Amino acid sequence: MKVPGLKLICLAFLFIHTRILVCYGAPDDAVDDYTDETPAKPPPPEMDNCNGVFLSYAFTSRTKALPLLKNVSAQPWTFNAMATVVNSGTEEVKGWKMYIGFQHKEILVSATNAVLVDGDVDFPAAVGNGTTLAGYPKADLKTSIDTAGDFNQIAVQVELKGSMFGLGEKATPMPKTISLRNDGWRCPTPTKYKTYMHACCKRDPKFKVNSNKKSKFAARQNGDLTFTYDVVKSYEGSYEAQVTMDNSSPIGRLDRWNLTWEWMRGEFIYSMKGAYTPRFDISDCVYGLAGRYLTGFDFTNVMNCEKKPTITDLPLTKANDTQIGKIPYCCKNASLLPPQMDPSRARAIFQLRVYKLPPDTPPTILYPPQRWNITGVINARYHCGPPIRVDPSEFPNPKGFDAKVYAIASWQVVCNMTRAEKRKTRCCVSFSAYYSDGAIPCSTCACGCDNIDTDKCNPDKPAMHLPPDALLLPSENRTAKTKAFAKLKKKGIPRKLPCPDNCGVSINWHINTDHKAGWSARMTLFNWQEAPFVDWFVAVEMKKAYPDYDNVFSFNGTKKLKGIKNTIFFQSLKDLNYLVEMKNGSKPSDPKVPGKQQSVISFIKKKTPNIKIRKGDGFPSKVYFNGEECALPRSFPSSGHRSPLSIASFILISITTTFLLITNRFI
């Protein structure tokens, strides 16, 4: 069905010294449901009065896409839109980032002059919950004063193409909001029209601006994890760079880290020192643009030609290798620890030689890779921003002179920890107490149920309470104890039992004692994986009990965490730094035995005399294992009569875990 086309609509934005034309519309033969015969409204007066950053979003066209469906809400549509960012203020905007609050299950297929900030997302990208765009290749917007009103230097237009769903033919296909995501800026609720919205963002007066007027580029930012990409040598057609990774978070950590980024202009990695790419692949060079432009080039020794390479650290055995090692802070088996555990292991460095393609071959043309992302194994998850140009890094003179050596160009990438989505964490916590004969296990599918047969278990049923000794068993061996405990407590047993938690690591928090002067808890770590954890740590947030933390007996513990409130940091003792892997039982028929470590933690009631242990004040509000935030139970153990089973169970779990803890010391 064709609907009369949308007439060309243009908004003329008048500056003091220049006129900027921003047109949004579609040709008359476009299929569009947004025909408006009324004359175009005059330019918004807010544009002339905006002393800051002017943002706009203009929806231009929408067309039905295949398949054509009778269900209007499921019909896919292709759409086109234009986002505009204009620096109409008196200070340069460095590394602009614009948030667009999409809300119609949009899938973004392309965006000109910008990249998606989410490092692990590529086009086509599902952006139905909103997305942030960053400028590329032009990341900074100069002022009209410094450029004599040159529109190409003070503004950028981003053409957006994508698909959307769930809309009727008369629905308004606009985002919820638009805003500038740069630090220190405030954006009001945008002014909205039928197919257009705009907002004027201004400096937050409470934000402390870097007062270093000598800086040509953006100030370096703080983050949980930061990368510095320094170009240290530049040649015709190639350059050498150094990448420095710094962990600043007291509860952040990475094990077996894998770093990815995306080359945007056909670059490829010729060689590396201090790290490597697990995949040595030159096919993209031979059959791609590099093979076309670099005729006669010998690709035999090229390390990696992928557009999105994966990079990881070298093992310890390569630390002194003169060809690929001998780099400060390299070669630590891809492990990055919090600075308070070991400052020397909170940094990683590697170097690489990068080849470029025309027209970027001159030594002065340099672009960093975009869309950085880093992952680990049961570690914190990070969201990384785009590379921001910063002042060149300083290095000591390699010849020993009392002089400073500077990078040719430097960029910074800031990454911050994010919370795992529900059922996507990798560790969980169970609760138990001396006054209750049942343990509240980890929640059903706490770490996901994607890889199990849900025909045999119910992923939506709440987890059933267990006798405490069942926590020592793998989930597949708990069925008999779970059913027996439910019968003892006269509770119903569903036909399909709840699915297990599927977590690689679980932690039991048990209230051990409670008396007038203080109380104690026992924390037990269970490793259900086939690989050990080295130099592990647990961070526990105690909102009510934190002030009265007293001591821990088999771990090291501290409350001195910079920037983290109400959190106690526990780590292994010097000779107990291995949380061993799960092992087979003594007999083939015996269940597998998880790796365990355990300690009692004491609290006094000097500052919290009215603390209510049985109502939940003695249980943590957050638990982190190696930086990963663990899933917590939804309730606390209830007070009540303790059956003989409870006493026997706790004696069993205490004797067993203590024995295994002692055994672990000698493994």
Side-chain angles (χ1 to χ4, degrees):
M1 180 184 69
K2 287 192 175 182
V3 182
L6 176 67
K7 290 185 176 181
L8 186 65
I9 303 173
C10 294
L11 291 178
F13 294 147
L14 180 62
F15 280 137
I16 297 176
H17 299 292
T18 184
R19 293 177 182 271
I20 300 173
L21 187 64
V22 179
C23 297
Y24 65 103
D28 286 339
D29 58 349
V31 179
D32 197 306
D33 292 273
Y34 296 96
T35 302
D36 192 349
E37 299 296 338
T38 59
K41 295 183 179 181
E46 291 83 356
M47 181 65 186
D48 292 336
N49 300 324
C50 181
N51 182 7
V53 177
F54 188 85
L55 304 178
S56 67
Y57 179 93
F59 182 88
T60 56
S61 66
R62 186 181 73 163
T63 307
K64 280 187 178 180
L66 297 175
L68 300 178
L69 304 174
K70 294 182 179 179
N71 184 354
V72 176
S73 62
Q75 174 64 48
W77 299 78
T78 62
F79 75 93
N80 294 274
M82 177 79 76
T84 305
V85 185
V86 182
N87 183 7
S88 56
T90 58
E91 64 174 294
E92 184 176 354
V93 179
K94 297 181 183 295
W96 67 265
K97 291 180 288 187
M98 180 181 180
Y99 174 77
I100 303 176
F102 291 113
Q103 57 178 331
H104 300 297
K105 302 178 183 178
E106 289 90 344
I107 296 175
L108 203 58
V109 175
S110 66
T112 62
N113 301 319
V115 294
L116 294 173
V117 167
D118 297 320
D120 56 345
V121 177
D122 197 2
F123 293 120
V127 296
N129 293 324
T131 192
T132 300
L133 299 171
Y136 182 83
K138 185 172 66 177
D140 303 336
L141 299 178
K142 298 183 180 298
T143 68
S144 179
I145 299 170
D146 294 336
T147 62
D150 185 354
F151 176 69
N152 290 326
Q153 298 187 63
I154 68 173
V156 65
Q157 291 180 315
V158 181
E159 295 181 12
L160 303 169
K161 294 183 179 181
S163 303
M164 55 176 56
F165 299 86
L167 288 167
E169 296 190 2
K170 299 300 180 181
T172 302
M174 292 291 286
K176 289 182 180 179
T177 187
I178 54 176
S179 63
L180 190 70
R181 282 296 171 92
N182 293 59
D183 293 336
W185 291 86
R186 280 184 177 180
C187 297
T189 302
T191 302
K192 299 179 182 180
Y193 301 97
K194 186 175 182 180
T195 57
Y196 176 76
M197 66 170 63
H198 65 80
C200 178
C201 304
K202 297 183 178 181
R203 268 290 184 187
D204 184 352
K206 297 181 180 179
F207 184 79
K208 295 182 179 179
V209 182
N210 188 352
S211 59
N212 184 8
K213 299 298 183 181
K214 296 181 181 180
S215 177
K216 182 180 178 181
F217 303 103
R220 294 180 186 248
Q221 303 294 315
N222 297 321
D224 294 328
L225 182 69
T226 58
F227 294 92
T228 306
Y229 190 84
D230 294 307
V231 176
V232 293
K233 295 180 181 179
S234 187
Y235 315 98
E236 182 73 20
S238 68
Y239 66 84
E240 294 180 22
Q242 177 169 292
V243 179
T244 304
M245 184 190 321
D246 285 304
N247 180 21
S248 302
S249 171
I251 59 173
R253 179 196 175 111
L254 285 162
D255 288 294
R256 285 178 274 167
W257 55 261
N258 283 314
L259 171 66
T260 60
W261 61 47
E262 184 172 346
W263 297 114
M264 307 299 290
R265 308 179 71 86
E267 302 96 328
F268 60 89
I269 300 173
Y270 184 82
S271 60
M272 299 185 78
K273 293 188 71 175
Y276 72 104
T277 59
R279 181 170 178 173
F280 284 59
D281 188 355
I282 63 172
S283 58
D284 288 348
C285 285
V286 174
Y287 298 108
L289 291 176
R292 186 187 311 170
Y293 284 113
L294 303 180
T295 56
F297 188 90
D298 184 6
F299 292 102
T300 305
N301 296 321
V302 171
M303 174 174 278
N304 186 279
C305 293
E306 293 176 292
K307 183 179 176 64
K308 294 182 68 175
T310 297
I311 300 166
T312 192
D313 193 16
L314 288 170
L316 287 169
T317 55
K318 297 296 182 180
N320 294 318
D321 190 300
T322 56
Q323 291 186 335
I324 60 175
K326 284 287 185 181
I327 299 294
Y329 299 102
C330 88
C331 315
K332 297 190 289 288
N333 292 326
S335 178
L336 205 65
L337 301 183
Q340 76 269 15
M341 289 185 72
D342 188 344
S344 67
R345 297 176 65 185
R347 166 174 283 193
I349 292 178
F350 63 89
Q351 298 173 349
L352 65 160
R353 178 78 176 264
V354 179
Y355 272 78
K356 306 180 293 181
L357 301 183
D360 299 340
T361 52
T364 55
I365 299 179
L366 300 167
Y367 292 98
Q370 297 287 322
R371 303 181 58 231
W372 293 52
N373 185 48
I374 190 162
T375 59
V377 180
I378 308 192
N379 297 140
R381 300 162 195 246
Y382 294 91
H383 177 273
C384 298
I388 302 297
R389 185 77 179 267
V390 295
D391 283 340
S393 300
E394 297 180 8
F395 301 99
N397 191 300
K399 296 182 180 180
F401 299 140
D402 186 15
K404 296 178 181 178
V405 178
Y406 292 89
I408 297 172
S410 298
W411 289 264
Q412 186 191 41
V413 177
V414 178
C415 307
N416 288 306
M417 295 167 60
T418 62
R419 189 171 186 176
E421 297 178 19
K422 185 179 180 182
R423 291 189 172 184
K424 288 188 178 181
T425 186
R426 290 167 287 193
C427 63
C428 62
V429 178
S430 62
F431 289 159
S432 57
Y434 73 91
Y435 51 79
S436 177
D437 56 6
I440 301 176
C442 296
S443 301
T444 304
C445 299
C447 297
C449 279
D450 297 335
N451 298 323
I452 65 172
D453 185 4
T454 53
D455 290 337
K456 298 180 180 179
C457 65
N458 193 330
D460 301 316
K461 276 281 185 182
M464 298 176 65
H465 291 194
L466 304 173
D469 60 320
L471 297 174
L472 295 163
L473 300 174
S475 57
E476 60 270 20
N477 299 106
R478 294 178 181 177
T479 303
K481 287 182 176 291
T482 301
K483 291 182 176 180
F485 189 71
K487 290 180 180 179
L488 180 69
K489 307 302 291 183
K490 298 181 179 179
K491 293 184 177 181
I493 301 174
R495 183 179 60 84
K496 287 173 60 177
L497 294 179
C499 293
D501 55 75
N502 302 307
C503 296
V505 172
S506 62
I507 298 172
N508 174 248
W509 185 272
H510 175 72
I511 301 298
N512 215 29
T513 61
D514 184 18
H515 49 87
K516 185 177 181 180
W519 60 282
S520 66
R522 186 180 64 238
M523 183 170 67
T524 308
L525 283 62
F526 299 91
N527 181 8
W528 301 100
Q529 298 197 126
E530 295 181 355
F533 290 95
V534 187
D535 298 318
W536 58 267
F537 72 83
V538 177
V540 179
E541 182 186 82
M542 305 290 295
K543 287 186 175 180
K544 296 290 182 68
Y546 172 80
D548 283 337
Y549 164 69
D550 179 42
N551 200 3
V552 61
F553 299 97
S554 299
F555 303 153
N556 283 322
T558 181
K559 292 166 59 176
K560 298 178 181 179
L561 293 182
K562 185 178 180 181
I564 306 294
K565 295 182 178 179
N566 303 325
T567 301
I568 310 167
F569 186 90
F570 301 105
Q571 68 182 94
S572 56
L573 295 175
K574 183 178 180 180
D575 296 326
L576 290 172
N577 59 330
Y578 275 81
L579 178 59
V580 299
E581 68 276 15
M582 181 171 62
K583 297 182 178 181
N584 292 326
S586 56
K587 299 178 182 178
S589 58
D590 290 344
K592 291 187 175 182
V593 179
K596 307 177 191 67
Q597 289 223 28
Q598 180 188 79
S599 182
V600 173
I601 307 162
S602 64
F603 297 81
I604 56 177
K605 294 184 178 180
K606 185 176 180 180
K607 296 181 180 179
T608 57
N610 298 319
I611 190 169
K612 297 177 175 59
I613 300 298
R614 298 192 181 203
K615 291 188 176 181
D617 291 350
F619 293 92
S621 51
K622 288 183 181 180
V623 175
Y624 299 86
F625 176 80
N626 281 4
E628 172 86 354
E629 184 173 352
C630 304
L632 297 179
R634 299 177 182 178
S635 60
F636 304 113
S638 59
S639 301
H641 175 70
R642 298 197 312 256
S643 68
L645 175 63
S646 171
I647 299 173
S649 298
F650 278 110
I651 291 174
L652 178 60
I653 192 172
S654 297
I655 292 174
T656 307
T657 53
T658 302
F659 170 75
L660 288 167
L661 176 62
I662 295 172
T663 304
N664 286 346
R665 293 174 184 246
F666 303 101
I667 291 177

